Amino acid sequence: MKDEHIEPFFAALKAANPTPASELEYSSAFELLVAVILSAQATDVGVNKATRRLFAVANTPPKMLALGLDGLQDYIKTIGLYRSKAKHLIEACRIMIERHGGEVPRSRDALEALPGVGRKTANVVLNVAFGEPTIAVDTHILRVANRTGLAPGKTPLEVETKLLERVPTRYRHDAHHWLILHGRYVCTARAPHCRECIVNRWCDARPPASVAGA
């Protein structure tokens, strides 16, 4: 993607969705952290269904720790890899209580030191909960960044680095949401909906004019 195409690309995404938001349901930084950890290899719909019940009884680190491993597993057993996720969450709660006053830490290093939290999860929490202009690269964003030519790269970190270099500052805070939603619903893996795509004119993989509607 040419440099001069990046501004109109994001301007179009913003015009279509001025205030993008995560599709995970949460009401605090802790609930967001839990939901993102649970969302690995799971759908947001499935996570939301489980966390509605879970957060009603355990929406803080002390309350979740008090559930114990078996108790937590009962609430999230409909989610893939629930046993390992439950172990990570119980230990993460213990660490937040012992080292961070029962709060979600606001630094990348401290977040990534929590079990079950990698760079992508840390980026989501830093961006969504704390307003930092980070970009969490998942499979959808990796695909969109490569297919459009916006930020080609073989690894999530490589794509993230290029996105932070190329995305204009004014769009950086919401770029994660726009790109993931675009990949989830429009620029899909097997059959991208190019005919309905509002940014196809700036895409490196732009289909023929008859398809793009140009």
Side-chain angles (χ1 to χ4, degrees), residues 127-162:
N127 176 266
V128 177
F130 302 130
E132 296 191 18
T134 58
I135 299 177
V137 178
D138 68 351
T139 55
H140 295 299
I141 295 180
L142 188 72
R143 178 175 64 258
V144 171
N146 277 281
R147 184 180 283 165
T148 63
L150 175 62
K154 294 181 179 180
T155 67
L157 181 57
E158 186 179 357
V159 169
E160 178 190 336
T161 300
K162 289 185 178 180

Side-chain angles (χ1 to χ4, degrees), residues 3-173:
D3 289 342
E4 60 266 31
H5 291 169
I6 295 176
E7 165 65 34
F9 177 91
F10 280 101
L13 292 176
K14 180 176 182 179
N17 187 2
T19 55
S22 172
E23 294 186 323
L24 291 170
E25 297 175 0
Y26 66 96
S27 60
S28 67
F30 175 69
E31 289 186 2
L32 175 66
L33 175 64
V34 172
V36 177
I37 290 175
L38 293 177
S39 70
Q41 299 185 45
T43 66
D44 287 358
V45 172
V47 171
N48 290 336
K49 184 176 181 180
T51 56
R52 285 176 199 139
R53 295 178 57 249
L54 173 62
F55 293 155
V57 298
N59 61 350
T60 66
K63 290 179 179 178
M64 192 163 290
L65 187 61
L67 282 179
L69 183 60
D70 291 341
L72 178 55
Q73 285 182 356
D74 285 341
Y75 281 97
I76 65 172
K77 60 187 177 182
T78 56
I79 298 174
L81 306 176
Y82 74 94
R83 289 187 178 86
S84 61
K85 290 175 181 178
K87 291 179 181 178
H88 289 156
L89 284 171
I90 289 295
E91 185 57 26
C93 287
R94 192 187 316 278
I95 292 172
M96 282 186 276
I97 292 169
E98 294 176 353
R99 303 180 190 175
H100 305 291
E103 301 291 334
V104 176
R106 298 187 63 142
S107 76
R108 178 185 298 283
D109 288 344
L111 281 168
E112 292 189 22
L114 298 175
V117 178
R119 186 176 183 88
K120 182 184 74 174
T121 297
N123 276 338
V124 173
V125 174
L126 290 171
N127 176 266
V128 177
F130 302 130
E132 296 191 18
T134 58
I135 299 177
V137 178
D138 68 351
T139 55
H140 295 299
I141 295 180
L142 188 72
R143 178 175 64 258
V144 171
N146 277 281
R147 184 180 283 165
T148 63
L150 175 62
K154 294 181 179 180
T155 67
L157 181 57
E158 186 179 357
V159 169
E160 178 190 336
T161 300
K162 289 185 178 180
L163 285 171
L164 291 173
E165 292 173 352
R166 302 200 78 192
V167 177
T169 302
R170 59 187 167 281
Y171 298 120
R172 203 168 294 158
H173 177 266

